[in-house]
């Protein structure tokens, strides 16, 4: 839009300002969706990692406690060699740790799938927002054109009215002066 158009029709400038403000709103909505997705994924991954670490530490604590408990029992009851019990306990905890790792891997795979679905949902939402804004922009453009056309038509009519009023004024003043001289 040229500055001449804006000078001739201030409505064009208003429509342009409105369009710019709405485009900024559209961009902010898109950025908000992206930020929400990043925060959700980060939070989920951090919580999953924290949960895995906490469970791993809890399991290690339980293993150490049970190992110390069985050694103490062995010492108290004269079975000073608790290596057989300790070895059995270590094997059981290793099996548990393997099962635990498999479960956490499964959780992580599920999280990856969930995050992929969440990303797809966000992309659909952003596309919907884009389509909605594009429809609005098209409607606003059409309205702006109609307003500009109506303004131009009114301006032409005003000019035509002035030119017909100006010519009828001069002809009526001529006929008035002609009728006074004939009397």
């Amino acid at each position: 839009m040229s500055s001449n158009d804006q000078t001739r029709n201030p409505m064009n400038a208003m429509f342009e300002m409105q369009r710019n403000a709405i485009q900024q709103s559209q961009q902010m909505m898109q950025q908000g969706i992206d930020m929400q997705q990043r925060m959700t994924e980060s939070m989920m991954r951090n919580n999953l990692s924290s949960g895995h670490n906490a469970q791993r530490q809890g399991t290690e604590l339980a293993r150490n406690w049970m190992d110390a408990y069985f050694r103490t029992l062995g010492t108290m009851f004269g079975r000073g060699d608790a290596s057989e019990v300790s070895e059995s306990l270590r094997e059981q905890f290793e099996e548990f740790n393997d099962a635990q790792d498999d479960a956490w891997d499964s959780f992580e795979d599920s999280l990856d799938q969930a995050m992929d679905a969440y990303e797809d949902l966000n992309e659909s939402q952003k596309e919907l927002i884009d389509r909605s804004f594009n429809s609005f922009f098209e409607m606003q453009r059409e309205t702006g054109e109609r307003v500009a056309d109506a303004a131009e038509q009114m301006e032409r009519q005003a000019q035509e009215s002035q030119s017909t009023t100006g010519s009828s004024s001069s002809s009526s003043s001529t006929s008035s002066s002609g009728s006074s001289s004939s009397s």
Side-chain angles (χ1 to χ4, degrees):
M1 177 184 338
S2 70
S3 62
N4 189 28
D5 287 343
Q6 289 180 0
T7 306
R8 257 189 35 226
N9 185 357
M11 295 300 286
N12 288 342
M14 181 202 66
F15 279 112
E16 185 65 25
M17 285 177 22
Q18 183 184 37
R19 193 171 16 263
N20 288 337
I22 292 169
Q23 284 174 332
Q24 289 174 354
S25 296
Q26 179 184 14
Q27 290 171 349
M28 286 174 40
M29 289 178 80
Q30 298 280 1
Q31 291 170 353
I33 290 169
D34 290 340
M35 182 182 69
Q36 180 182 356
Q37 181 178 342
R38 285 189 304 271
M39 287 177 53
T40 300
E41 183 170 3
S42 176
M43 181 183 69
M44 297 297 288
R45 293 203 183 280
N46 287 339
N47 286 342
L48 186 66
S49 178
S50 296
H52 187 190
N53 288 337
Q55 188 172 24
R56 170 76 70 183
Q57 289 173 358
T59 301
E60 187 64 25
L61 179 66
R63 187 187 67 75
N64 289 338
W65 181 85
M66 291 185 78
D67 188 47
Y69 175 74
F70 283 114
R71 281 189 203 166
T72 302
L73 282 179
T75 303
M76 285 176 48
F77 294 110
R79 294 187 59 192
D81 185 17
S83 61
E84 187 177 305
V85 172
S86 291
E87 182 61 28
S88 174
L89 188 62
R90 187 187 60 74
E91 288 174 8
Q92 290 174 10
F93 271 97
E94 282 180 11
E95 288 174 16
F96 177 79
N97 283 337
D98 290 343
Q100 183 183 33
D101 288 342
D102 290 343
W104 283 104
D105 288 344
S106 177
F107 293 155
E108 192 169 335
D109 290 343
S110 295
L111 177 61
D112 288 342
Q113 291 174 1
M115 292 313 302
D116 287 344
Y118 185 62
E119 183 176 353
D120 291 344
L121 179 65
N122 283 342
E123 288 302 316
S124 295
Q125 184 180 12
K126 289 180 350 186
E127 288 171 9
L128 175 64
I129 288 169
D130 282 344
R131 283 195 306 269
S132 298
F133 276 96
N134 288 339
S135 294
F136 173 79
F137 289 136
E138 180 61 25
M139 185 175 65
Q140 191 224 27
R141 183 190 59 76
E142 290 171 1
T143 301
E145 288 173 359
R146 283 191 291 246
V147 167
D149 290 345
E152 287 175 16
Q153 186 177 10
M154 289 173 61
E155 186 179 345
R156 274 194 306 260
Q157 288 174 348
Q159 288 173 351
E160 288 172 5
S161 177
Q162 284 179 347
S163 58
T164 56
T165 306
S167 62
S168 58
S169 298
S170 54
S171 61
S172 61
S173 62
T174 311
S175 58
S176 301
S177 57
S179 55
S180 347
S181 40
S182 35
S183 344

